Amino acid sequence: MSFSSELKEELSKINNLNKKEEVKFELLGYLISKNTTCDKNNIRYATESDYNINRFSKLLKNLDINHNIEFDGKSFIITFKLKDKLEEIDLKNNQIVIKQINNINENYRRALIRGAFLGSGSINNPDKTHHLEINLSNKNNMDKLFIILKESNIKSKKFEQENKYSIYFKDGEVISIFIALIGANNSVLKFEDIRVQKEMRGKVNRIVNCQTANLNKTLNASVEQIDAIRKLQVTGKFNKLDDNLKEIALLRLEYPDMSLIELGKKLKKPIGKSGVNYRLKKIMQIADERN
């Protein structure tokens, strides 16, 4: 089962069905989702998730709304009539449009957001790219949900193209806050656990890559230094070097993969990295001289 399915399954089991106002706002979330359509006051919602359709059915039962559930071989379809239209929505041109909702408390906002996500939301597996998206039925509903999320201190982004309207997040921390907001506590813990592991793997890879790059840099420099020392030995210039340069040259030949700091510690009179670097550069400079 995907993380998105696990999250929706957890949300579908939230035990708040005795709170009618919360139930109503969660239903509003379903109604503004892309998977809900209407023909006058005939409402239709389709989903491939059995626990999602069960949640929708429980919301309707709680509000004493008669409904019918069918299965067409692929999707569950729930249909019902809104005899007494909910005051928070309008039915215009066969579209469900949410009205401006002012001064609703945090629990009602959470319920509406949860319903919208259950209605037509999705989330990538957290071990891959972070992406959570909610598809809305029209621009008005997208804009209203954007405002409601902002009132709940969640920064979202809007996407609008042709007949597609959606709210989305790509930041892992924001997604984690969103999951907590809609009440999926177990999913938050799992998301954070995977996210932390992913970040740690990324840090380890960056460290390994950095260390590899530094090692390659050290080895490349060492090869150039050894070539210069060998050249001095072949040309007879090596014996003309002063004792400090001879000492570091012989150490470099003996320890070709050793860092400058480690080489400096092996000298009779230890010196730091910059001192070792100066001496080796001096050797290479002498090797490059024609005379």
Side-chain angles (χ1 to χ4, degrees):
M1 182 183 293
S2 68
F3 182 79
S4 187
S5 296
E6 290 178 0
L7 171 56
K8 287 190 175 183
E9 183 175 12
E10 182 181 357
L11 292 173
S12 71
K13 296 176 181 178
I14 290 178
N15 185 20
N16 67 335
L17 297 175
N18 61 331
K19 302 175 181 178
K20 282 193 176 293
E21 280 299 303
E22 285 189 25
V23 168
K24 182 183 73 171
F25 277 95
E26 188 171 325
L27 176 62
L28 288 173
Y30 270 97
L31 293 178
I32 66 173
S33 73
K34 185 178 181 180
N35 292 334
T36 303
T37 57
C38 71
D39 179 8
K40 296 182 179 179
N41 67 333
N42 298 307
I43 309 299
R44 180 183 186 274
Y45 173 76
T47 178
E48 295 182 8
S49 166
D50 55 347
Y51 47 81
N52 205 353
I53 207 72
N54 287 337
R55 179 70 177 184
F56 200 144
S57 177
K58 288 177 182 178
L59 298 177
L60 294 172
K61 286 179 181 177
N62 186 277
L63 297 172
D64 299 319
I65 298 175
N66 293 325
H67 57 281
N68 183 56
I69 299 176
E70 296 177 345
F71 185 66
D72 67 356
K74 183 179 180 181
S75 300
F76 295 94
I77 300 171
I78 192 165
T79 55
F80 58 96
K81 292 180 179 290
L82 280 180
K83 294 180 180 179
D84 298 321
K85 187 169 60 176
L86 296 173
E87 61 182 13
E88 289 83 5
I89 64 170
D90 281 328
L91 302 180
K92 296 180 178 180
N93 300 321
N94 288 333
Q95 283 195 333
I96 300 171
V97 178
I98 191 170
K99 297 179 181 178
Q100 183 67 42
I101 304 175
N102 298 315
N103 301 320
I104 61 173
N105 68 36
E106 181 65 19
N107 289 334
Y108 298 166
R109 286 201 299 268
R110 288 175 187 234
L112 191 149
I113 295 166
R114 180 169 57 248
F117 178 77
L118 280 167
S120 57
S122 63
I123 179 174
N124 285 5
N125 287 330
D127 58 344
K128 298 179 180 178
T129 304
H130 292 147
H131 185 87
L132 186 149
E133 184 172 343
I134 303 173
N135 295 310
L136 292 311
S137 57
N138 54 61
K139 185 178 187 305
N140 175 82
N141 294 336
M142 176 187 69
D143 292 339
K144 293 296 192 301
L145 183 60
F146 179 84
I147 293 171
I148 291 170
L149 285 166
K150 186 176 181 180
E151 290 173 347
S152 296
N153 298 316
I154 293 185
K155 296 179 180 179
S156 61
K157 295 183 179 180
K158 294 186 284 187
F159 176 82
E160 179 180 348
Q161 188 177 56
E162 296 180 355
N163 293 323
K164 182 176 181 179
Y165 307 93
S166 62
I167 296 289
Y168 70 94
F169 321 94
K170 288 185 176 294
D171 182 88
E173 184 174 352
V174 175
I175 292 174
S176 181
I177 294 171
F178 176 89
I179 297 172
L181 177 76
I182 58 179
N185 298 326
N186 292 332
S187 293
V188 171
L189 295 176
K190 182 174 181 179
F191 181 86
E192 281 299 304
D193 183 51
I194 296 174
R195 188 165 77 99
V196 168
Q197 289 183 35
K198 180 183 177 183
E199 289 180 354
M200 287 302 298
R201 286 197 301 269
K203 288 181 180 178
V204 169
N205 288 336
R206 286 193 292 273
I207 291 172
V208 170
N209 291 337
C210 182
Q211 289 176 337
T212 300
N214 288 337
L215 178 59
N216 289 335
K217 183 178 179 181
T218 298
L219 291 176
N220 290 335
S222 177
V223 168
E224 292 180 0
Q225 293 158 6
I226 291 172
D227 285 344
I229 296 167
R230 295 296 188 197
K231 182 178 179 181
L232 291 175
Q233 289 177 329
V234 170
T235 59
K237 291 182 180 181
F238 185 82
N239 293 329
K240 298 178 181 179
L241 297 177
D242 63 42
D243 291 341
N244 287 338
L245 296 184
K246 285 181 182 178
E247 183 184 13
I248 198 66
L250 292 173
L251 282 174
R252 172 49 85 203
L253 292 176
E254 185 177 358
Y255 302 104
D257 59 345
M258 187 170 283
S259 69
L260 299 184
I261 294 175
E262 292 171 320
L263 283 176
K265 291 178 180 179
K266 285 189 170 294
L267 293 169
K268 293 177 182 178
K269 292 183 178 180
I271 59 175
K273 178 180 178 180
S274 60
V276 173
N277 188 49
Y278 172 79
R279 293 184 185 183
L280 288 170
K281 282 188 174 182
K282 184 66 176 177
I283 290 171
M284 295 176 70
Q285 180 182 345
I286 294 172
D288 287 338
E289 293 175 353
R290 293 187 178 181
N291 297 320

